[in-house]
């Protein structure tokens, strides 16, 4: 990996660690050295601080992780989300919001690059265009994260009036960015991606740096969430044309089977950051950066049935253990975790969904099975087939849920499918002898802004008060 410029790191840390990006102030202290050459700006792109998309709270809402009863035995932010308590205010427990702060921190860096690179004292026009394109791609990813967390899901009929998040396009210390609509955020995302993809490099220097596959992949993801399946399909094909490699998890399991099966807490070769599937690597939360999913990624034992018996995504990541009276499946593999980025399997499944929506069920399931052959051990593998859209979508959703465990993709998928009556799902569970449910129309699907965010931005209105 390219070494990060220590001067730039010092500049960033001196400002960022002492102030919240909810204020959009003092990110680079006045009077300090500012980036001037291409190497300085490249250091921003490769700085891990630019690569956080924290989905901890949404994952709590979908009950994707095991949550110890001790963490939810009182009314707090975790218990409200985990147990779907609709009459308590999450805002009361949300003084500040790391997910919001880190996203806007990354956006600030992107804006700094976009504004500053044209005046860099060195670099070719091609180098400058590529850096600006990478910054626009990262900005688009951050805004996609924000709009699909703090606003209603995209609806063409209401997107021009549905409020979303603040739109910040300049590295301006003093500005208070206006809150704009869902349509305006999506328009920016598409503009950033469409205007930059041609200038993106075909290959990245490392997994932090967007390339053409990232750009086309983000366009496919965005159009999928807008239900423009034709354009999503076009861009998924373009992304796969750049990189369609799938990591052979079956071979990885076979190569390490003795250690995995015989050891309670095995040490396995790391692969996530260098995974050939990566279009881009982005951390989820700051805890993921420190320890991956090793501490937080456990699931209730009953949820292990969502994986097929021969699924190596379960076998190389989870082992059963007791926690008090509970039996859980503990995520034991200590590795980096691509919790906020993008990998080629997403494009296989995006393309499959688009084909299923067009009635091409055989072609859709061929893509699903291509992925599954790299995940399911041969002696337990059998092709899946579908004869209806609903059947194909069911298989595709299961694969997305298992493939992107811990990334928050299930939360995003539930939100978008909840806008379609035939796919909307009410979540139910029994907790402490009570049957609890989360309807597709619950306000809990929209995350509130923190109190500090509202205090620091007079234009900001809560989408949900609870």
């Amino acid at each position: 990996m390219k070494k990060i410029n220590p001067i730039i790191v010092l500049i960033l840390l001196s400002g960022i660690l002492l102030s919240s990006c909810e204020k959009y102030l003092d990110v680079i202290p006045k009077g300090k050295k500012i980036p001037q050459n291409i190497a300085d700006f490249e250091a921003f792109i490769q700085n891990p601080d630019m690569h956080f998309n924290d989905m901890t709270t949404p994952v709590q809402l979908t009950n994707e992780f095991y949550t110890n009863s001790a963490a939810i035995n009182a009314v707090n932010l975790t218990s409200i989300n985990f147990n779907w308590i609709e009459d308590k205010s999450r805002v009361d427990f949300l003084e500040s919001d790391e997910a919001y702060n880190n996203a806007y921190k990354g956006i600030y860096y992107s804006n700094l690059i976009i504004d500053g690179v044209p005046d860099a004292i060195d670099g070719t026009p091609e180098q400058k265009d590529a850096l600006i394109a990478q910054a626009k791609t990262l900005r688009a990813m951050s805004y996609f994260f924000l709009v699909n967390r703090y606003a209603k899901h995209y609806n063409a009929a209401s997107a021009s009036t549905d409020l979303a998040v603040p739109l910040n396009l300049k590295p301006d210390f003093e500005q208070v960015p206006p809150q704009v609509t869902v349509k305006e955020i999506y328009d920016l995302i598409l503009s950033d991606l469409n205007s930059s993809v041609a200038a993106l490099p075909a290959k990245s220097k490392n997994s932090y740096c967007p390339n053409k596959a990232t750009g086309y992949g983000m366009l496919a993801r965005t159009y999928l969430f807008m239900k423009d399946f034709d354009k999503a399909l076009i861009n998924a094909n373009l992304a796969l044309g750049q990189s369609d490699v799938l990591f052979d998890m079956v071979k990885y399991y076979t190569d390490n089977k003795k250690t995995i099966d015989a050891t309670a807490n095995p040490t396995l070769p790391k692969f996530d950051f260098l995974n050939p599937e990566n279009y881009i690597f982005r951390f989820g939360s700051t805890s993921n950066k420190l320890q991956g999913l090793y501490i937080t990624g456990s699931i209730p034992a009953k949820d292990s049935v969502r994986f097929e018996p021969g699924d190596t995504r379960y076998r190389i990541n989870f082992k059963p253990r007791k926690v008090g009276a509970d039996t859980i499946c503990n995520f034991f593999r200590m590795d980096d975790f691509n919790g906020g980025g993008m990998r080629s399997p997403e494009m296989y499944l995006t393309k499959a969904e688009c084909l299923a929506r067009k009635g091409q069920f055989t072609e859709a399931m061929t893509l699903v099975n291509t992925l599954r052959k790299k995940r399911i051990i041969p002696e337990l593998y059998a092709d899946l087939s579908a004869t209806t859209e609903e059947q194909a979508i069911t298989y595709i959703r299961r694969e997305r849920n298992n493939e992107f465990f811990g990334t928050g993709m299930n939360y995003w998928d539930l939100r978008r499918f909840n806008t379609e009556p035939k796919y909307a799902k009410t979540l139910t569970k029994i907790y402490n002898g009570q049957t609890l449910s989360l309807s597709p129309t619950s306000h809990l699907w929209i995350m509130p802004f923190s109190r500090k965010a509202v205090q620091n931005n007079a234009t900001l209105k809560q989408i949900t008060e609870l």
Side-chain angles (χ1 to χ4, degrees):
M1 186 190 307
K2 179 178 175 65
K3 187 177 180 181
I4 304 301
N5 187 322
I7 296 175
I8 298 301
V9 172
L10 180 61
I11 291 169
L12 296 177
L13 293 178
S14 64
I16 293 163
L17 296 182
L18 297 177
S19 65
S20 165
C21 280
E22 291 168 314
K23 292 186 177 182
Y24 307 96
L25 299 174
D26 303 324
V27 177
I28 296 181
K30 295 179 181 179
K32 298 293 184 180
K33 179 182 182 297
I34 62 174
Q36 299 180 63
N37 55 47
I38 291 298
D40 291 340
F41 287 109
E42 286 180 338
F44 277 91
I45 295 289
Q46 298 179 55
N47 186 343
D49 275 350
M50 200 164 178
H51 296 280
F52 288 110
N53 288 141
D54 189 341
M55 294 295 279
T56 302
T57 303
V59 166
Q60 289 172 352
L61 185 74
T62 57
N63 283 201
E64 195 162 347
F65 292 159
Y66 165 76
T67 300
N68 192 300
S69 58
I72 50 177
N73 60 7
V75 176
N76 52 44
L77 186 62
T78 300
S79 66
I80 291 172
N81 284 302
F82 186 80
N83 283 333
W84 310 324
I85 303 172
E86 296 188 308
D87 62 347
K88 303 294 182 183
S89 173
R90 291 173 292 177
V91 179
D92 290 345
F93 302 93
L94 192 60
E95 176 64 21
S96 186
D97 184 351
E98 185 178 78
Y100 181 96
N101 294 348
N102 282 334
Y104 278 106
K105 184 190 299 182
I107 288 168
Y108 184 94
Y109 293 167
S110 292
N111 291 340
L112 192 71
I113 295 167
I114 294 165
D115 269 27
V117 163
D119 297 324
I121 61 177
D122 63 355
T124 66
E126 291 75 20
Q127 286 177 306
K128 291 181 177 183
D129 287 346
L131 275 173
I132 292 170
Q134 289 180 322
K136 284 186 174 182
T137 303
L138 292 172
R139 183 169 72 179
M141 294 191 77
S142 292
Y143 272 118
F144 184 93
F145 165 82
L146 288 164
V147 76
N148 283 288
R149 178 187 176 103
Y150 298 103
K152 292 180 180 178
H153 185 77
Y154 182 90
N155 179 343
S158 62
S160 61
T161 56
D162 290 336
L163 280 178
V165 296
L167 180 61
N168 183 23
L169 298 178
K170 293 290 183 181
D172 184 343
F173 293 114
E174 307 299 337
Q175 80 162 331
V176 178
Q179 185 178 16
V180 299
T181 64
V182 170
K183 182 179 186 302
E184 288 172 288
I185 295 295
Y186 269 83
D187 285 348
L188 172 73
I189 292 168
L190 292 176
S191 175
D192 273 354
L193 295 171
N194 281 311
S195 66
S196 63
V197 68
L200 289 170
K203 299 294 182 183
S204 302
K205 288 187 176 181
N206 61 49
S207 291
Y208 289 135
C209 302
N211 54 29
K212 287 188 186 296
T214 320
Y216 288 127
M218 271 306 300
L219 280 166
R221 181 189 286 181
T222 303
Y223 285 123
L224 181 71
F225 276 57
M226 296 174 73
K227 295 185 173 59
D228 189 336
F229 301 114
D230 289 336
K231 289 182 179 177
L233 178 58
I234 289 169
N235 283 283
N237 277 325
L238 288 168
L240 289 169
Q242 294 293 319
S243 177
D244 63 356
V245 64
L246 291 171
F247 180 68
D248 194 340
M249 293 185 75
V250 173
K251 182 178 186 304
Y252 179 91
Y253 172 72
T254 302
D255 290 347
N256 297 281
K257 186 176 186 300
K258 184 176 180 180
T259 301
I260 292 171
D261 292 350
T263 310
N265 197 27
T267 300
L268 299 175
K270 293 184 176 183
F271 64 83
D272 270 17
F273 186 78
L274 299 176
N275 189 341
E277 295 178 350
N278 286 343
Y279 285 0
I280 188 170
F281 183 96
R282 305 194 89 186
F283 298 101
S285 64
T286 52
S287 65
N288 285 345
K289 181 177 182 294
L290 296 173
Q291 58 199 8
L293 290 182
Y294 182 69
I295 300 298
T296 60
S298 301
I299 61 175
K302 63 180 178 59
D303 288 354
S304 64
V305 298
R306 76 193 216 189
F307 295 97
E308 296 177 63
D311 197 329
T312 57
R313 288 170 294 200
Y314 176 82
R315 294 191 177 201
I316 71 173
N317 288 317
F318 297 99
K319 283 188 178 292
R321 71 181 180 93
K322 294 287 290 184
V323 176
D326 299 330
T327 300
I328 69 169
C329 297
N330 189 57
F331 192 100
F332 66 82
R333 190 168 57 87
M334 297 188 71
D335 199 351
D336 296 320
F337 176 61
N338 194 356
M342 178 175 286
R343 297 183 289 112
S344 57
E346 182 178 345
M347 292 302 104
Y348 277 85
L349 296 173
T350 296
K351 181 177 179 179
E353 181 177 338
C354 293
L355 291 173
R357 301 271 190 173
K358 296 164 71 70
Q360 297 174 240
F361 310 129
T362 299
E363 295 89 341
M365 295 311 299
T366 295
L367 288 161
V368 173
N369 288 326
T370 298
L371 174 61
R372 291 177 62 251
K373 287 173 184 175
K374 299 293 185 180
R375 304 298 190 252
I376 314 298
I377 58 177
E379 56 266 33
L380 294 173
Y381 176 85
D383 276 345
L384 298 176
S385 61
T387 56
T388 66
E389 178 187 304
E390 289 81 357
Q391 188 178 22
I393 295 294
T394 295
Y395 286 135
I396 292 164
R397 290 183 72 173
R398 183 182 72 178
E399 289 307 307
R400 288 176 67 93
N401 195 10
N402 290 343
E403 185 68 30
F404 306 119
F405 168 81
T407 66
M409 186 65 77
N410 185 40
Y411 163 78
W412 281 345
D413 280 347
L414 283 164
R415 277 174 45 111
R416 69 185 178 91
F417 280 112
N418 281 344
T419 64
E420 301 180 73
K422 65 180 176 180
Y423 295 125
K425 181 182 295 185
T426 296
L427 303 185
T428 61
K429 67 177 180 180
I430 296 176
Y431 183 79
N432 283 344
Q434 290 185 306
T435 300
L436 307 178
S437 64
L438 178 66
S439 78
T441 58
S442 173
H443 68 270
L444 293 175
W445 289 107
I446 300 172
M447 299 296 144
F449 300 117
S450 73
R451 287 183 287 175
K452 188 175 289 185
V454 175
Q455 290 167 4
N456 290 333
N457 188 334
T459 73
L460 190 59
K461 297 179 180 179
Q462 291 283 11
I463 311 302
T464 175
E465 296 292 336
L466 297 175

